[in-house]
Amino acid sequence: VEASIPEPLREAWRKHSASEFTSKEDFEKYFVRHVETTLARSLYNCDDLAAYSGTALAFRDRLIIEWNRTQQRQTFTDQKRVYYLSLEFLMGRTLDNAMLNVGLKDVARDGLSDLGFRIEDVINQEHDAALGNGGLGRLAACFMDSMATLNYPAWGYGLRYRYGIFKQEIVNGYQVEIPDYWLDNNPWEFPRHEITVDIQFYGNVKKYQDENGRILNSWEDGEIVQAIAYDVPIPGYGTKTTNNLRLWSSKASSGEFDFQKFNAGDYESAVADQQRAETISAVLYPNDNLERGKELRLKQQYFWCAASLFDIVRRFKKTKRAWAEFPDQIAIQLNDTHPTLAIVELQRILIDMEGLEWDEAWSIVTKTFGYTNHTVLPEALEKWSVPLMQNLLPRHLQIIYEVNLFFLQSVEKRFPNDRDILSRVSIIEESHPKMVRMAYLAIIGSHKVNGVAELHSDLLKSTLFKDFVKIYGPDRFTNVTNGITPRRWLHQANPRLSALIAEKLGGYDFLKDLTLLDKIEVFVDDKAFREEWAAIKRENKLRLARHIKATTGYDVNPNALFDVQVKRIHEYKRQQLNVFGVIHRYLSIKAMSAEEKKKVVPRVSIFGGKAAPGYWMAKTIIHLINNVADVVNKDPEVGDLLKVIFIADYNVSKAEIICPASDISEHISTAGTEGSGTSNMKFVLNGGLIIGTCDGANIEITREIGEQNIFLFGNLAEDVEDLRHRHFYGGFKLDPQLERVFDAIKDNMFGDKTDFSALTSSIEEHGDYYLVSDDFNSYITTHKMVDEAFQNQEEWLAKSITSVARMGFFSMDRVTNEYADSIWNVEPLDVTD
Ligand code: H53
């Protein structure tokens, strides 16, 4: 149906076309109207939650106007677009960000105050959109902000989970998971019930001859599930560009199948089918850096890839261009291997549905895709069992085998005397059962593969993907070091610091070009500037102290050194090293005389992070932290000298309170294991110093800010293999200071020692894979240096200011521009031109 209104009738439309508010008066008008009509409330029963909804709806109106214009403009201009495929988008809250991005937060603050509300209370009503686990999901969210800010025509594609990452509660020291049902009155999404795609699973493949006598394949008799689009507008900062994030929700298809059952009186079974279909988009898998090979996860992946590809292809076909132009119009970025099936799906569409020849199709596919790898950890690398795929996606498995065959033939031709290389690089691992190696498929199906920090990208080339470098040459592999959006992670999280910087730089341009931060370095000796800088840190620490008091009941001294480690709990991130260090500190304080205690720098050790529900060791670490907190915090011999805090349910909105409040934060993964890390950047950008290993982006942070401004410790990545070897083949002795810590644990000082025996024995008896013992001494020594440095507050302040001034490189805008230039080949489109 042609839905476009004929020209003669458009006048009435234009006259009444929605307009956007800019003044306080108008904001108040929109707000009251929404409260009274959309929400059916009044000034007699408008609480903070209703005020949140009213404000959100007023801003939503504005976003949607810009969103419509942007989409129309992008469609009309028809230049190349980027599609960012990610199973996770860890967006956090939207309202504050929307107000800041459109530049109307002050207007809203004044308006809300006129109407009887405090803007902070209103903002705090919002539920986080937590459709992600950790770094990978948050990176996708930063991409969305940056792509819109830089005016790139870009869409995100993801899944609309009914349940995001679980809420974490701590009960008797243990993590308990509570489902996060977040969709009730979420004003930020627009259901597009008219935009649906039928997705097939199971079934079988039949061969047939077309009219030209060609043998083609058809995938038949499967089960159909419907994908429904939900759109989320993504406003850029200081631009009219408002991009789209499209999330797919699953529903049973209203096909004949159900009807037959229904008519046959099998109502219950028809409902069960319905529920089974809805299960696909029901829950986010709560694992970070861990793949467990569950069928439902594979279903999620295909469902989302197929719906997104159908949508992209449908849009392309409207332009009536030749297929060969597809890669000139479309770049698709794969966030990790989770969307690798999109490669296979596009090949399937082109050869099975559109009738292209294999080679022509494959050349289009490889020019279209780029693949980002985020980890070298073996347990995080996706492999799918061949029988599972055979059953669920029979046609795709055939195509994978075909891709593999052609690939291996080409390898054999180039390396005729190397038999081993074929089995090493084969997409199919010859195990029982056979497995599809998704990373290899992603490399073969993309034109560029990137790692997320220099060390990580180098490791990819020298270890995991070494053979592929030999085959394709080094140019297919590149590095784009991660970044963060300064809008959320400076301006929104730390408004006062942002304002101070703006005052010195004569405006907020640095939020769009973070390298301008270097201009604050000249104020490092400016007395007033330094005082204000210190006052801001203090205020941020007080804000966190209030949060800690409200959530844990503990009082913490704001003059103490705040030492923070917040991130997913994982053995490779080594929260166990941190808590062992805390125990060591506790034991040392207990052994001190009153005189010695006077010299101790008071410390608050703050932890936060979720463990995957099935990751027992990670849960044990949480348990130990909480038990240590229990003992230490109540010990009168220690008092203010040491407090241990576990902040429950760490998420994006809590990160916005925590990051600006740290004095030092910990990024202490075993060298060579962390892809990049991004919270390291958030802490430094907010004037916190860091203690870290030579891993991930820590190395580049050091290069940028100078090694005198960071506390590095521990063994290097190049030595890890040897050290691990030594644990098994003699030459290993447990670090004596760590032994003292273990003795305390074994004395039941922190509760029943058997609760923690897995933790100690993994180090003492099972090879200490993460090299906790090897790094312990250097860790403790470096913390002593941290204490000493903190005693010289003037020096500390200088380090803090200098570091912030040198953080420009870590802006997500630099990252986005690098992807745009070296991987996507897309240009910005200013929608106001
Ligand atoms: O991705 C971040 C990195 C971080 C890395 C993380 C990540 C996940 O959160 C999940 C799966 C995965 O393979 C990697 O661990 O180092 O900063 C963004 O690139």
Side-chain angles (χ1 to χ4, degrees):
V1 182
E2 182 53 78
S4 177
I5 304 298
E7 187 55 47
L9 301 176
R10 289 183 185 176
E11 197 42 43
W13 278 83
R14 292 196 176 114
K15 197 166 111 205
H16 300 295
S17 186
S19 62
E20 53 206 23
F21 69 85
T22 46
S23 70
K24 185 183 76 161
E25 281 298 297
D26 280 350
F27 165 72
E28 291 175 7
K29 189 171 104 193
Y30 279 61
F31 174 94
V32 172
R33 197 183 154 72
H34 276 301
V35 169
E36 292 185 349
T37 61
T38 319
L39 305 175
R41 306 278 275 262
S42 73
L43 76 169
Y44 299 109
N45 63 357
C46 186
D47 54 11
D48 281 343
L49 183 58
Y52 161 71
S53 296
T55 310
L57 289 164
F59 276 90
R60 183 179 95 147
D61 286 349
R62 190 189 155 103
L63 293 196
I64 218 63
I65 293 166
E66 303 295 3
W67 183 91
N68 270 326
R69 285 191 192 136
T70 305
Q71 298 314 312
Q72 277 161 23
R73 185 64 205 271
Q74 288 180 3
T75 305
F76 181 73
T77 312
D78 195 29
Q79 66 181 56
K80 190 169 184 177
R81 274 198 192 148
V82 186
Y83 296 102
Y84 194 78
L85 266 57
S86 179
L87 256 192
E88 304 189 7
F89 286 94
L90 193 45
M91 305 297 281
R93 288 177 176 158
T94 295
L95 177 59
D96 199 359
N97 183 249
M99 294 191 297
L100 289 168
N101 276 15
V102 302
L104 290 172
K105 187 170 178 181
D106 291 336
V107 166
R109 179 184 289 108
D110 295 349
L112 282 167
S113 156
D114 285 353
L115 297 161
F117 297 94
R118 260 172 39 110
I119 195 168
E120 290 76 20
D121 300 336
V122 169
I123 287 169
N124 281 332
Q125 297 299 312
E126 185 171 351
H127 198 107
D128 276 38
L131 306 186
N133 277 286
L136 170 140
R138 185 54 229 176
L139 189 78
C142 284
F143 253 123
M144 293 309 295
D145 178 81
S146 192
M147 292 190 297
T149 299
L150 295 171
N151 300 315
Y152 285 108
W155 282 38
Y157 274 112
L159 275 183
R160 178 182 179 268
Y161 302 106
R162 210 164 342 124
Y163 296 92
I165 188 67
F166 61 84
K167 286 197 172 307
Q168 179 194 54
E169 285 182 11
I170 303 297
V171 179
N172 296 328
Y174 292 93
Q175 166 175 300
V176 174
E177 299 98 24
I178 315 287
D180 170 47
Y181 183 82
W182 70 291
L183 287 171
D184 273 349
N185 57 57
N186 168 18
W188 305 110
E189 62 170 16
F190 290 81
R192 302 285 194 195
H193 293 290
E194 73 287 5
I195 300 176
T196 62
V197 187
D198 280 347
I199 309 294
Q200 183 168 214
F201 294 106
Y202 307 106
N204 44 63
V205 183
K206 296 220 174 76
K207 292 213 179 299
Y208 69 98
Q209 241 180 10
D210 72 358
E211 58 273 24
N212 306 321
R214 283 200 315 171
I215 306 289
L216 294 177
N217 292 282
S218 139
W219 178 20
E220 294 174 3
D221 302 329
E223 205 178 284
I224 306 289
V225 176
Q226 201 174 50
I228 300 175
Y230 285 73
D231 287 345
V232 182
I234 309 287
Y237 174 81
T239 170
K240 299 271 180 188
T241 300
T242 302
N243 280 337
N244 192 31
L245 170 59
R246 177 159 286 178
L247 303 176
W248 299 104
S249 182
S250 64
K251 218 182 126 200
S253 117
S254 46
E256 295 160 51
F257 189 59
D258 292 337
F259 253 124
Q260 277 168 14
K261 278 193 181 172
F262 181 71
N263 289 335
D266 200 355
Y267 180 64
E268 260 178 63
S269 142
V271 172
D273 285 350
Q274 187 99 7
Q275 279 175 339
R276 206 149 41 87
E278 286 174 17
T279 307
I280 293 179
S281 62
V283 242
L284 164 77
Y285 274 90
N287 307 322
D288 191 81
N289 269 295
L290 184 70
E291 285 296 334
R292 294 194 174 270
K294 292 272 204 294
E295 180 176 54
L296 182 60
R297 169 86 166 179
L298 186 60
K299 271 190 156 177
Q300 289 188 333
Q301 294 186 350
Y302 179 63
F303 172 81
W304 149 65
C305 288
S308 308
L309 252 291
F310 185 92
D311 210 37
I312 292 167
V313 168
R314 170 166 61 191
R315 201 167 297 124
F316 175 76
K317 284 172 80 167
K318 275 198 194 155
T319 69
K320 307 255 181 335
R321 290 171 190 266
W323 283 109
E325 289 180 61
F326 193 87
D328 305 331
Q329 290 297 105
I330 290 156
I332 304 179
Q333 191 64 28
L334 306 176
N335 195 22
D336 216 314
T337 54
H338 315 148
T340 304
L341 284 170
I343 289 173
V344 190
E345 177 69 359
L346 181 57
Q347 180 72 1
R348 186 184 75 86
I349 293 172
L350 294 177
I351 61 176
D352 290 1
M353 324 287 279
E354 303 295 340
L356 271 68
E357 295 296 338
W358 179 279
D359 287 347
E360 190 190 357
W362 188 245
S363 140
I364 291 170
V365 168
T366 52
K367 283 183 200 150
T368 301
F369 287 98
Y371 156 50
T372 305
N373 172 288
H374 297 263
T375 187
V376 295
L377 294 186
E379 67 268 33
L381 297 179
E382 279 191 296
K383 290 176 187 175
W384 288 105
S385 112
V386 166
L388 181 66
M389 224 184 241
Q390 167 69 49
N391 183 42
L392 190 70
L393 302 166
R395 178 61 185 137
H396 294 78
L397 187 65
Q398 283 183 347
I399 293 173
I400 291 170
Y401 267 100
E402 206 106 316
V403 168
N404 198 34
L405 177 71
F406 294 140
F407 170 66
L408 292 180
Q409 282 172 346
S410 76
V411 175
E412 198 173 21
K413 229 183 253 164
R414 289 222 17 227
F415 305 96
N417 302 319
D418 191 348
R419 296 298 319 163
D420 285 351
I421 198 173
L422 295 182
S423 66
R424 286 204 307 270
V425 300
S426 173
I427 297 173
I428 307 297
E429 180 182 278
E430 296 294 327
S431 45
H432 299 283
K434 291 184 182 167
M435 302 295 258
V436 183
R437 296 156 161 165
M438 300 307 270
Y440 292 5
L441 179 54
I443 296 171
I444 296 165
S446 303
H447 66 285
K448 274 278 188 255
V449 177
N450 75 286
V452 290
E454 268 174 25
L455 173 70
H456 168 64
S457 299
D458 287 345
L459 285 172
L460 285 178
K461 283 195 272 188
S462 61
T463 62
L464 267 189
F465 301 156
K466 191 171 156 196
D467 289 319
F468 290 90
V469 176
K470 235 169 96 182
I471 293 165
Y472 290 119
D475 288 354
R476 183 172 298 217
F477 298 88
T478 182
N479 173 61
V480 186
T481 299
N482 282 168
I484 54 173
T485 167
R487 273 74 66 180
R488 182 173 296 257
W489 297 113
L490 178 55
H491 193 46
Q492 180 177 324
N494 203 344
R496 211 171 137 188
L497 189 64
S498 184
L500 174 62
I501 295 168
E503 184 197 310
K504 289 296 174 200
L505 300 187
Y508 284 97
D509 288 354
F510 66 96
L511 293 174
K512 283 203 159 224
D513 174 4
L514 203 63
T515 61
L516 293 174
L517 278 181
D518 65 5
K519 304 219 159 27
I520 63 166
E521 201 166 333
V522 297
F523 298 104
V524 69
D525 297 320
D526 178 315
K527 190 157 173 287
F529 182 78
R530 291 168 65 91
E531 277 169 9
E532 174 67 1
W533 192 277
I536 291 168
K537 180 59 81 183
R538 192 181 158 76
E539 184 183 276
N540 289 330
K541 287 173 75 175
L542 281 167
R543 175 169 66 154
L544 178 58
R546 283 195 297 275
H547 176 81
I548 289 171
K549 175 74 181 168
T551 52
T552 69
Y554 288 123
D555 285 303
V556 296
N557 173 7
N559 298 321
L561 192 164
F562 279 21
D563 170 351
V564 183
Q565 188 178 19
V566 286
K567 50 183 85 228
R568 286 300 289 247
I569 312 290
H570 205 299
E571 285 165 279
Y572 89 82
K573 295 180 188 280
R574 297 202 296 189
Q575 284 92 354
Q576 70 275 40
L577 174 60
N578 188 344
V579 70
F580 294 152
V582 169
I583 295 174
H584 176 270
R585 180 174 288 264
Y586 175 62
L587 297 175
S588 311
I589 295 172
K590 298 274 284 179
M592 283 177 187
S593 66
E595 230 14 71
E596 285 170 321
K597 278 187 186 169
K598 284 189 191 145
K599 294 192 205 121
V600 173
V601 179
R603 225 188 242 240
V604 184
S605 276
I606 299 165
F607 293 82
K610 294 172 187 177
Y615 188 174
W616 195 68
M617 197 66 114
K619 289 183 145 178
T620 303
I621 296 172
I622 293 179
H623 187 195
L624 180 59
I625 296 168
N626 281 296
N627 280 16
V628 169
D630 223 33
V631 172
V632 171
N633 297 351
K634 288 179 185 143
D635 191 334
E637 281 179 21
V638 173
D640 256 5
L641 297 186
L642 181 61
K643 283 276 175 289
V644 183
I645 302 294
F646 189 92
I647 297 181
D649 200 40
Y650 176 62
N651 60 12
V652 172
S653 55
K654 286 191 185 156
E656 289 167 24
I657 300 172
I658 296 167
C659 290
S662 91
D663 293 307
I664 196 124
S665 64
E666 310 227 1
H667 309 275
I668 57 178
S669 48
T670 312
T673 61
E674 189 72 273
S676 154
T678 41
S679 75
N680 41 9
M681 302 164 192
K682 292 167 200 168
F683 282 102
V684 181
L685 187 60
N686 281 283
L689 306 190
I690 65 183
I691 176 167
T693 44
C694 293
D695 199 20
N698 291 353
I699 298 171
E700 287 150 89
I701 292 177
T702 309
R703 186 180 65 204
E704 294 295 310
I705 69 177
E707 57 188 353
Q708 67 286 3
N709 295 316
I710 190 166
F711 297 92
L712 290 178
F713 75 96
N715 286 286
L716 302 180
E718 64 212 53
D719 298 321
V720 165
E721 208 183 298
D722 278 353
L723 288 167
R724 281 183 179 154
H725 195 79
R726 221 172 284 171
H727 279 270
F728 284 106
Y729 302 99
F732 169 71
K733 185 153 178 350
L734 189 67
D735 178 273
Q737 303 188 89
L738 187 58
E739 198 170 358
R740 271 179 54 211
V741 170
F742 284 5
D743 287 344
I745 294 173
K746 288 172 189 169
D747 270 352
N748 299 317
M749 193 180 262
F750 308 104
D752 187 345
K753 66 174 177 198
T754 54
D755 287 353
F756 310 112
S757 56
L759 207 47
T760 50
S761 68
S762 74
I763 294 165
E764 288 180 297
E765 293 160 40
H766 302 129
D768 191 12
Y769 190 75
Y770 297 101
L771 306 181
V772 173
S773 177
D774 301 86
D775 282 347
F776 196 68
N777 182 50
S778 148
Y779 180 64
I780 297 298
T781 311
T782 308
H783 264 302
K784 285 201 188 106
M785 292 162 63
V786 171
D787 284 327
E788 278 160 30
F790 195 69
Q791 278 172 312
N792 186 344
Q793 278 293 305
E794 290 306 312
E795 276 276 318
W796 187 279
L797 199 54
K799 287 184 199 293
S800 165
I801 296 168
T802 312
S803 300
V804 174
R806 298 177 182 177
M807 281 298 285
F809 178 75
F810 298 99
S811 169
M812 195 66 200
D813 297 342
R814 187 265 311 156
V815 179
T816 302
N817 281 326
E818 280 186 24
Y819 276 81
D821 291 345
S822 70
I823 302 175
W824 304 331
N825 193 26
V826 291
E827 298 291 332
L829 168 68
D830 193 333
V831 289
T832 53
D833 282 351

